[in-house]
Amino acid sequence: MKRTLIGSALCALLLAGCGQGSSDNKEASGGKKMKIGVTMLSMQNEFIVKVSDEIEKKAQEMGVELIVVDAERSALKQVEQVESFIAQKVDAIIMNPCEVEASSPAVTKALAAKIPIVNVNSETSAAPTAFVGSDDVESARIAMNYIAEKLGGKGNILMMHGYMGQAAQIKREQGAREILQKNPNLKLLAHQTAEWDRAKAMSLMENWIQSYGANVNAVFAQNDEMGMGAVNALTAAGMKDKVIVVSIDAIPDALQAVKKGTLNATVFQNAQQQGANALETAVKIVKGEKFEKQTLIPFQLVTKENVETFLK
């Protein structure tokens, strides 16, 4: 399911009920309700929407007001959104960075304005006040080790990249190449970005089928949207039974595909914990409480054998 985009001016003002936590947060914000600005990479990406939803859910529980905006994959727009948060004098900022380098000025500007900033899910080269996410290198190691095992360490692989320059793309490529180096009989036939997008991945896979045909043994897609696009193209070409496809995130569509056996495996990334911990960390910082500078939430391999656990 994709959420309809409301545009860069999207504002979700969550006026939560008041409890003890809400009172504490008001005190930490000088008697006003704590206000946190949230800028997300893209609300067209199902996993990112889930992270955003969990931030909003936790904010309602804690009596925090949020301003949520969609960067629409533009690092420039994201920096401008953070500048707007600074002008609105928010108590803290949560950022899901578009790019490692191009989103970094947002971190620098927030810290210069003495506003704490928590990066969630993805990283910047500039160090934020705190980071909440997962080790993307490890997610690719898990996916590629599964492929290596299923192919007996020998075969031809294609890799679909995410949005180039984003931390997840860089680190998932790093993890994949580590496993390729350890398995010299696995050959990377081609690799190209499909920008985390299902339709673009399907088109890319159709081109690869024309170029490589029966020589393809497996596809590693750096997220489920692209993995589902690869599955659709391979199924339409009558090749899916002969090609292993593994991706990352464990979105509902991918879990159903794993259950049906069309997607061989996915790697579960915990959107609930990433979103909730990011909000909790931001609130702790504003209140002057102890907080973890870096919170890494583990990935888990999902196959047909254990998929029911993740569908619950």
Side-chain angles (χ1 to χ4, degrees):
M1 179 185 72
K2 291 183 179 180
R3 168 175 292 180
T4 301
L5 184 63
I6 304 178
S8 59
L10 170 70
C11 293
L13 297 177
L14 303 178
L15 303 176
C18 297
Q20 184 60 46
S22 176
S23 299
D24 291 345
N25 295 339
K26 279 186 176 180
E27 186 176 342
S29 305
K32 301 177 182 177
K33 178 173 279 191
M34 188 182 296
K35 183 186 291 184
I36 295 177
V38 181
T39 169
M40 303 301 290
L41 181 154
S42 170
M43 298 298 264
Q44 291 296 305
N45 181 295
E46 185 169 342
F47 181 81
I48 298 303
V49 171
K50 287 178 65 179
V51 175
S52 179
D53 287 347
E54 295 298 334
I55 292 172
E56 293 182 5
K57 189 183 300 180
K58 182 58 67 175
Q60 286 181 314
E61 290 177 11
M62 301 183 76
V64 173
E65 180 180 338
L66 292 187
I67 307 169
V68 183
V69 294
D70 182 355
E72 299 177 312
R73 293 185 174 178
S74 167
L76 176 61
K77 181 174 290 185
Q78 191 158 55
V79 173
E80 292 173 348
Q81 289 169 343
V82 168
E83 289 173 339
S84 174
F85 291 155
I86 294 169
Q88 294 177 66
K89 301 185 185 302
V90 298
D91 296 295
I93 295 168
I94 295 174
M95 180 168 73
N96 172 214
C98 293
E99 295 183 35
V100 173
E101 297 297 336
S103 294
S104 285
V107 173
T108 305
K109 288 174 183 284
L111 296 179
K114 302 188 184 305
I115 296 175
I117 181 166
V118 177
N119 281 356
V120 63
N121 177 256
S122 191
E123 302 174 36
T124 52
S125 57
T129 313
F131 171 75
V132 177
S134 300
D135 180 358
D136 282 301
V137 178
E138 182 62 18
S139 68
R141 292 189 190 119
I142 292 170
M144 288 293 291
N145 274 325
Y146 176 86
I147 289 173
E149 180 183 342
K150 291 299 178 184
L151 294 181
K154 183 178 181 181
N156 297 320
I157 297 173
L158 299 165
M159 176 162 59
M160 290 185 176
H161 294 274
Y163 195 50
M164 301 302 286
Q166 196 201 4
Q169 177 272 317
I170 294 169
K171 294 198 167 187
R172 289 175 188 179
E173 179 177 11
Q174 178 186 336
R177 291 190 181 276
E178 282 182 15
I179 303 307
L180 287 170
Q181 284 187 339
K182 291 178 180 177
N183 293 272
N185 291 322
L186 292 179
K187 182 181 178 182
L188 185 62
L189 284 180
H191 61 105
Q192 189 174 325
T193 182
E195 298 183 346
W196 307 123
D197 185 87
R198 189 177 307 201
K200 291 179 180 177
M202 185 170 176
S203 177
L204 176 60
M205 192 69 233
E206 289 168 346
N207 291 338
W208 278 344
I209 289 171
Q210 290 186 354
S211 299
Y212 303 106
N215 291 323
V216 180
N217 302 117
V219 177
F220 167 48
Q222 293 182 357
N223 82 341
D224 284 337
E225 291 288 348
M226 297 189 296
M228 295 302 297
V231 165
N232 291 342
L234 288 163
T235 301
M239 293 176 59
K240 179 60 199 73
D241 291 345
K242 299 176 182 176
V243 179
I244 295 169
V245 180
V246 182
S247 49
I248 295 171
D249 284 342
I251 63 174
D253 273 3
L255 291 174
Q256 290 296 334
V258 170
K259 184 178 180 180
K260 293 175 185 173
T262 52
L263 180 66
N264 297 82
T266 182
V267 182
F268 176 69
Q269 183 174 199
N270 197 320
Q272 187 275 325
Q273 288 193 25
Q274 287 190 11
N277 283 337
L279 194 284
E280 289 175 340
T281 299
V283 170
K284 283 181 180 178
I285 295 169
V286 175
K287 294 170 72 173
E289 297 177 353
K290 288 184 179 179
F291 65 96
E292 296 292 331
K293 182 76 176 173
Q294 176 174 269
T295 302
L296 292 179
I297 298 158
F299 288 98
Q300 293 174 265
L301 180 67
V302 183
T303 64
K304 201 165 186 176
E305 286 70 33
N306 67 351
V307 67
E308 291 293 345
T309 303
F310 297 89
L311 283 167
K312 293 178 180 176

